[in-house]
């Protein structure tokens, strides 16, 4: 497995080795003996999620109050997503910056986000399927959002899908009214480093 640390400390890209033959493909998309030395601690699995999205569906930027925080290990089983990690940790040298990874059913990369980091995904084709392992069960009172379209974040969202068609962003009602990073910080909702 190839591992690359993203520009935000505590976020990593994992690219598995794939073994293919006339029957299909086999790969190890998560392996603790590789993960734990990289992340510095094991991923304590508390919940696993799966989401299927139409092209243009934009989910996030989501994060969990830290503490307790929620770590995520995310991959794409079908289709393609732009996976975006945003540093929301007040006091971090990379606060307010973002990095991205194309996760798809070709390279089969996975992204790890440590607690305190924000997460968003944009589906690049219809039927794209993402799955993620979480270190904390969903707890509504700890769940927070920042607008993925906050102009101050300057996230370079693709405007064209994997098939070459223009993307029209589709947000949930909750994501469409999420505060900007500045408002979330002023409200004291962001995690500290």
């Amino acid at each position: 497995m190839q591992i690359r640390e993203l520009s935000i400390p505590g976020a990593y890209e994992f690219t598995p080795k794939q073994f293919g033959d006339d029957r299909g493909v086999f790969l190890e998309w998560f392996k603790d003996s590789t993960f734990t030395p990289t992340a510095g601690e094991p991923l304590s699995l508390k919940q696993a999620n799966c989401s299927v999205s139409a092209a243009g569906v934009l989910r996030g930027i989501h994060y969990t109050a830290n503490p307790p925080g929620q770590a995520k290990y995310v991959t794409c089983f079908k289709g393609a997503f732009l996976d975006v990690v945003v540093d929301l940790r007040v006091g971090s040298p990379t606060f307010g910056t973002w990095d991205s990874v194309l996760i798809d059913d070709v390279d089969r990369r996975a992204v790890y986000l440590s607690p305190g980091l924000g997460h968003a995904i944009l589906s690049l084709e219809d039927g794209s399927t993402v799955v993620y392992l979480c270190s904390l069960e969903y707890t509504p009172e700890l769940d927070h959002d920042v607008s993925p379209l906050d102009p101050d974040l300057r996230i370079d969202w693709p405007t064209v899908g994997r098939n070459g068609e223009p993307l029209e962003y589709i947000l949930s009602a909750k994501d469409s009214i999420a505060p900007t990073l500045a408002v979330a910080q002023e409200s004291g909702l962001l995690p500290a480093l």
Side-chain angles (χ1 to χ4, degrees):
M1 184 170 295
Q2 294 179 351
I3 302 166
R4 178 178 71 91
E5 185 171 16
L6 300 184
S7 61
I8 298 171
Y12 298 89
E13 171 190 283
F14 293 84
T15 304
K17 290 181 183 174
Q18 299 184 58
F19 303 93
D21 59 26
D22 58 349
R23 299 170 299 155
V25 174
F26 172 83
L27 62 118
E28 295 171 338
W29 72 278
F30 177 86
K31 191 170 186 176
D32 185 67
S33 62
T34 303
F35 175 83
T36 297
T38 301
E41 62 185 358
L43 180 62
S44 173
L45 179 61
K46 301 293 184 188
Q47 185 170 317
N49 299 329
C50 176
S51 178
V52 180
S53 299
V57 169
L58 178 53
R59 300 179 188 272
I61 302 168
H62 301 151
Y63 67 100
T64 303
N66 191 22
Q70 182 186 61
K72 294 179 182 176
Y73 190 85
V74 186
T75 195
C76 176
F77 281 175
K78 180 179 181 244
F81 290 90
L82 183 69
D83 189 296
V84 174
V85 179
V86 182
D87 192 345
L88 303 175
R89 301 167 298 187
V90 176
S92 168
T94 56
F95 174 75
T97 64
W98 61 274
D99 203 345
S100 65
V101 175
L102 175 67
I103 57 173
D104 62 17
D105 55 11
V106 177
D107 294 319
R108 303 181 195 281
R109 292 181 184 98
V111 174
Y112 170 71
L113 302 88
S114 61
L117 299 178
H119 185 241
I121 53 173
L122 173 64
S123 176
L124 301 176
E125 69 180 57
D126 285 338
S128 292
T129 304
V130 68
V131 295
Y132 49 106
L133 308 176
C134 302
S135 67
L136 180 73
E137 290 184 17
Y138 172 69
T139 311
E141 61 271 16
L142 300 177
D143 188 46
H144 299 288
D145 310 283
V146 168
S147 173
L149 301 176
D150 180 346
D152 290 336
L153 288 174
R154 296 185 195 96
I155 297 174
D156 188 16
W157 294 111
T159 57
V160 177
R162 193 153 91 163
N163 62 3
E165 295 291 320
L167 290 175
E168 185 174 318
Y169 304 140
I170 305 164
L171 283 74
S172 70
K174 182 178 140 196
D175 288 344
S176 65
I177 62 167
T180 64
L181 181 63
V183 169
Q185 185 176 10
E186 290 166 11
S187 301
L189 296 175
L190 297 179
L193 184 61

